[in-house]
Amino acid sequence: MNIVENFDLYAPRLVDKEEYFNAGHRACSGCGEALAIRLMCKALGEDTVIVNATGCMEVISVMYPTTAWSLPWIHVAFPNAASVGAGVEAALKVLRRKGKIADRRIKTVCIGGDGGTFDIGFQALSGTMERGHDVLYVCFDNEAYMNTGIQRSGATPFGASTTTNPAGAASQGKDEWKKNIAEIIASHNVPYVATACHSYPLDFMNKVKKAREVEGPSYIHCLSVCPTGWRVQTEDCIKAGRLAVETGVFPLYEIENGKYTMSSLNPEELRPVEDYLKLQGRFRHLTTDSIEKIQDRIILENNKLLDKAENLHSWAELEG
Ligand SMILES: Cc1ncc(C[n+]2csc(CCOP(=O)(O)OP(=O)(O)O)c2C)c(N)n1
């Protein structure tokens, strides 16, 4: 990686020192999602309204009478963060038009877990994206309904053991593949979609900043490591996120007005998926056959993605 050419990604002075998601919340130790929220808030700045679907981040951040948030924040039901976001955005527009608030851009940002995004909040999300609201939706994907006890979601990967599909004599964990939510949102013809992970903080923050500037709907899918649900050592949170990218389990890319661009942090060559799986207790039971099946699927999915990306036609073409 050329640090000079990629100065924007590496310059530490670009990180805002101000905290909008403060210490003292009740997230599990090593929580990737809490770290990602903190980084997201720094990139968004103070002119932001957060609409938070029920989930871990709501539960851990607002233990009455305290709050970790230094931004206007509203908690909404599990299924409707995107609808409430659309309402907030419309209300801000009217208030500005009537001169009741300052004439400057305030961004509405909806946040939800994978359960609240892939599954139960999907209808609201799809509507908000399709209607073209000026809303950024960030999904913090920890790959299960974590706050209620690690139940499987549409985001849980094939083979993972959860409390609703526990691995055992009769089961190898989840039998279905993960939904490709970034593709589904991109099919709504929104101006900006990106994948990101807290293990690459500046890349994530740059994508948030970019999405903030979009006039219209935008979506960021942030892989968020959950040491509790993934059965990962807390000190391995960042490592697990990096391995997801290095093995091609979670490629980093952007879709701007339909144009795919692979992010420069993807690896030159994919590592074997086993490196990623063996770090996590939720995959401990997998047989060699299942691991091979997962590996084949990763190659298939990554090739499909590379075919769409205009800046890259093989992993080997990436700059070191
Ligand atoms: C309509 C409805 N169904 C179920 C629940 C219970 N519930 C609250 S949070 C949650 C899981 C949230 O999972 P996810 O969106 O993945 O976020 P995470 O907790 O993993 O951050 C569930 C099932 C609820 N509050 N409302």
Side-chain angles (χ1 to χ4, degrees):
M1 174 66 60
N2 184 325
I3 300 209
V4 175
E5 276 179 18
N6 291 282
F7 185 69
D8 279 356
L9 288 174
Y10 284 95
R13 68 187 170 81
L14 294 182
V15 178
D16 190 348
K17 285 210 171 81
E18 193 72 37
E19 297 290 350
Y20 301 101
F21 184 72
N22 296 282
H25 55 68
R26 267 67 157 192
C28 304
S29 82
C31 173
E33 199 172 344
L35 169 61
I37 298 258
R38 179 177 169 220
L39 297 169
M40 174 194 76
C41 290
K42 279 175 179 283
L44 289 171
E46 63 180 353
D47 286 336
T48 305
V49 177
I50 303 282
V51 179
N52 194 166
T54 293
C56 285
M57 287 306 106
E58 161 258 328
V59 170
I60 60 97
S61 66
V62 286
M63 302 290 272
Y64 182 80
T66 65
T67 178
W69 298 90
S70 301
L71 290 172
W73 176 92
I74 179 170
H75 167 225
V76 297
F78 193 28
N80 66 346
S83 304
V84 174
V88 169
E89 184 253 346
L92 287 170
K93 219 185 270 169
V94 172
L95 289 173
R96 204 178 307 117
R97 194 175 64 225
K98 291 186 173 174
K100 295 200 170 172
I101 55 171
D103 188 18
R104 60 175 202 261
R105 190 140 182 266
I106 297 172
K107 190 78 181 184
T108 305
V109 179
C110 303
I111 60 174
D114 48 288
T117 304
F118 285 59
D119 302 340
I120 197 162
F122 183 72
Q123 179 180 331
L125 172 59
S126 176
T128 294
M129 293 285 130
E130 182 270 325
R131 289 191 305 273
H133 288 277
D134 185 13
V135 165
L136 163 62
Y137 190 105
V138 187
C139 171
F140 294 96
D141 176 12
N142 56 22
E143 302 195 317
Y145 293 59
M146 292 302 181
N147 123 79
T148 41
I150 323 177
Q151 294 89 16
R152 142 233 210 275
S153 77
T156 305
F158 174 87
S161 181
T162 70
T163 53
T164 44
N165 50 334
S171 159
Q172 278 255 338
K174 190 180 168 190
D175 269 336
E176 300 79 26
W177 297 102
K178 182 180 178 115
K179 246 189 222 182
N180 191 339
I181 192 82
E183 280 285 334
I184 297 169
I185 301 300
S187 308
H188 290 68
N189 298 313
V190 300
Y192 187 74
V193 173
T195 64
C197 177
H198 52 68
S199 298
Y200 299 88
L202 294 173
D203 176 69
F204 174 48
M205 291 170 78
N206 283 335
K207 286 169 176 166
V208 172
K209 280 187 189 159
K210 212 178 212 182
R212 195 193 193 291
E213 294 316 310
V214 168
E215 305 254 0
S218 51
Y219 175 85
I220 296 182
H221 184 199
C222 179
L223 184 71
S224 305
V225 175
C226 172
T228 310
W230 294 19
R231 308 283 184 238
V232 167
Q233 296 299 314
T234 55
E235 64 269 27
D236 285 338
C237 168
I238 302 302
K239 186 175 172 185
R242 284 184 178 253
L243 280 169
V245 173
E246 289 168 12
T247 55
V249 166
F250 194 81
L252 300 174
Y253 60 97
E254 293 171 289
I255 312 171
E256 289 174 83
N257 296 312
K259 182 177 169 233
Y260 286 68
T261 310
M262 301 307 298
S263 306
S264 56
L265 294 162
N266 289 302
E268 222 171 298
E269 243 175 72
L270 299 182
R271 283 172 73 152
V273 71
E274 204 169 352
D275 292 355
Y276 174 69
L277 301 175
K278 72 182 178 207
L279 192 74
Q280 305 172 48
R282 64 179 174 155
F283 295 117
R284 188 180 297 135
H285 55 281
L286 289 182
T287 60
T288 316
D289 280 356
S290 298
I291 294 173
E292 261 174 37
K293 196 169 162 181
I294 294 170
Q295 186 68 74
D296 290 348
R297 177 83 178 198
I298 288 171
I299 291 166
L300 181 79
E301 290 299 325
N302 276 281
N303 283 338
K304 278 201 272 181
L305 187 58
L306 291 175
D307 275 349
K308 290 182 201 162
E310 293 180 21
N311 65 327
L312 188 78
H313 297 288
S314 81
W315 290 105
E317 283 181 30
L318 280 162
E319 267 188 273

